[in-house]
Amino acid sequence: MKITILYKFRNTAWGGANQFLHALRNWFVSKGCYEEDPFKADVGIFISYPFNNEDLFGTVHKLKKNTNTLIVNRMNGPIFLYRDQDVAVDKMNFIFNRHVADGTIFQSKWSMEQCHKLGMIPNGYETIIGNAPDPGFFYRPDPSKNKVVGKTKIVAASWSDNYKKGFDTYQYLDDNLDFARFEMTFIGRSPIIFKNINQLPILQSDKLAETFRDHDMFVFASKVETCSNILMEALHCGLPAVARNNSSQPELLGTGGLLFNDTRDVLDAINKVSNNLNYYRSSIKVPTIDEIGANYYNFCNRIYSEYREGKYTRKCWSNMRYYGLTARAHFWEKGTRIKNKLRKINENGNQPG
């Protein structure tokens, strides 16, 4: 069985999905089961929703019409919990999943439950498989370097500057963290100019991992996450974490740190983890890319084998449903651009001048 990933890869830091899918593709390649040409693959893994790459809907439509390729949908979201105006995206994801996807992979139990709660009809083949980073970059440091010298070094990171990524908490820490005891660094984009927190730009995976290993603990304050890759990358680098108690964070963190609810208890959680770094470091339990890759392969192979044996009838994608979905996507994209332009005009109009 040959697998392809229907995704426009970027060879630069480009958000969590891009980084994880690079690692997953590398695993498939190492096992000899990856096919670059989707029209020669037995299974195509589709990433919903393909923001800025809606042409991939056309690729899937051609695969459904002209080949026997099965489509497995890696679900994101629900998206509207990240962006309140994007209920339309979730509806398109649910339509695609119902009429096109032969199987569905959720990244967390939380994501599966929320999607079903919002009206997504369960697929005949569904599973939950999390994420894992590339072990060539993200690995634990030499144990001899675990000893804290001087201040406890905290790190946080976000590729997106969406305020829901936890910037209320990072602002609070910038104002209230005990900087006589702690040193804190933020990596990535931020809508806030910090006074006390050191800030670094977005880093490539090798530099990001090195920076993580140079710190003692990770703070992750995002309010909504399907399955955060940045949190998994930090844990794989041996960083105990303090993470916000919502969405998928409890599933990912496990015993590798402590959860907090808001600014009222985040400092207490940081202090407790800082006082017990070795305990929480030794309690980190995260899946490897070998485990994740094998789970992807086995799930795809289960559908493929039952299709080959005549136990499963592959879904088709009629022209009417294809054009209906792509029309929705087109109008959503146009509407979003207009909303963004109006928002910028409004923001500029409200600036003093």
Side-chain angles (χ1 to χ4, degrees):
M1 180 187 68
K2 293 289 186 177
I3 298 175
T4 195
I5 299 176
L6 300 164
Y7 179 77
K8 298 289 181 69
F9 287 92
R10 275 85 169 180
N11 293 318
T12 186
W14 196 269
N18 186 67
Q19 306 309 99
F20 165 69
L21 292 171
H22 268 290
L24 182 63
R25 182 177 64 175
N26 289 343
W27 188 89
F28 287 145
V29 170
S30 73
K31 302 301 178 184
C33 62
Y34 191 74
E35 173 55 62
E36 198 68 45
D37 183 353
F39 293 91
K40 295 180 181 178
D42 300 301
V43 178
I45 297 174
F46 183 82
I47 316 301
S48 64
Y49 179 85
F51 289 105
N52 302 315
N53 292 301
E54 283 83 358
D55 58 303
L56 287 171
F57 284 130
T59 301
V60 172
H61 185 236
K62 291 176 182 177
L63 289 172
K64 284 290 186 178
K65 285 188 67 176
N66 303 319
T67 75
N68 292 320
T69 305
L70 297 163
I71 300 298
V72 170
N73 185 24
R74 177 182 181 266
M75 280 294 297
N76 282 314
I79 301 297
F80 95 96
L81 294 174
Y82 298 80
R83 317 179 192 187
D84 294 335
Q85 75 273 24
D86 284 346
V87 177
V89 174
D90 288 311
K91 290 182 178 179
M92 286 187 282
N93 284 346
F94 296 170
I95 290 170
F96 180 90
N97 198 72
R98 179 180 182 183
H99 297 296
V100 184
D102 298 289
T104 307
I105 294 175
F106 295 97
Q107 299 171 57
S108 62
K109 182 181 178 183
W110 172 85
S111 176
M112 181 183 72
E113 291 175 345
Q114 291 298 313
C115 286
H116 288 165
K117 184 178 178 180
L118 284 172
M120 177 180 171
I121 296 175
N123 211 336
Y125 297 94
E126 288 188 348
T127 191
I128 300 169
I129 307 175
N131 302 330
D134 187 333
F137 299 120
F138 299 96
Y139 54 85
R140 292 175 180 246
D142 187 297
S144 64
K145 297 181 180 180
N146 286 337
K147 186 176 180 180
V148 176
V149 178
K151 297 179 182 180
T152 299
K153 298 171 71 176
I154 300 172
V155 63
S158 175
W159 184 84
S160 168
D161 61 0
N162 185 323
Y163 208 77
K164 287 186 176 181
K165 288 293 183 178
F167 289 102
D168 59 332
T169 299
Y170 302 139
Q171 178 71 76
Y172 177 81
L173 293 177
D174 192 47
D175 294 334
N176 295 279
L177 188 65
D178 182 0
F179 286 94
R181 181 185 172 193
F182 297 100
E183 176 184 320
M184 184 167 177
T185 299
F186 178 86
I187 304 168
R189 294 186 176 93
S190 170
I192 298 167
I193 298 176
F194 297 113
K195 297 178 298 182
N196 298 300
I197 296 174
N198 303 315
Q199 189 163 355
L200 296 176
I202 291 172
L203 301 176
Q204 297 299 321
S205 291
D206 56 343
K207 298 299 182 183
L208 178 64
E210 288 176 10
T211 305
F212 279 172
R213 285 190 291 272
D214 191 42
H215 286 75
D216 303 307
M217 58 183 292
F218 188 69
V219 172
F220 188 67
S222 183
K223 293 185 175 181
V224 183
E225 292 290 335
T226 300
C227 181
S228 170
N229 284 280
I230 200 76
L231 176 56
M232 295 302 292
E233 289 167 350
L235 292 169
H236 273 263
C237 286
L239 293 183
V242 169
R244 195 185 289 266
N245 185 18
N246 62 20
S247 59
S248 63
Q249 270 84 285
E251 294 178 58
L252 275 59
L253 181 61
T255 56
L258 290 176
L259 299 168
F260 72 94
N261 295 304
D262 51 37
T263 55
R264 291 172 295 179
D265 60 347
V266 64
L267 291 176
D268 184 52
I270 288 173
N271 286 327
K272 287 179 179 177
V273 172
S274 176
N275 290 335
N276 298 278
L277 283 173
N278 288 334
Y279 168 77
Y280 287 110
R281 190 179 289 122
S282 65
S283 299
I284 294 173
K285 295 180 177 62
V286 285
T288 66
I289 194 63
D290 280 333
E291 294 169 318
I292 296 299
N295 287 340
Y296 264 80
Y297 183 88
N298 290 338
F299 179 69
C300 293
N301 191 48
R302 175 187 161 205
I303 305 172
Y304 177 68
S305 296
E306 294 190 7
Y307 167 66
R308 290 285 301 272
E309 294 167 6
K311 297 178 182 178
Y312 170 69
T313 301
R314 175 176 166 272
K315 290 182 181 178
C316 298
W317 197 4
S318 69
N319 289 339
M320 182 178 69
R321 283 184 171 144
Y322 165 67
Y323 289 120
L325 184 61
T326 52
R328 278 175 176 253
H330 173 76
F331 285 118
W332 172 81
E333 184 182 6
K334 291 288 186 182
T336 299
R337 288 180 180 176
I338 292 171
K339 287 179 183 178
N340 289 338
K341 287 181 180 180
L342 292 174
R343 177 176 54 79
K344 289 180 180 179
I345 292 171
N346 185 55
E347 289 174 354
N348 292 334
N350 289 333
Q351 290 179 358

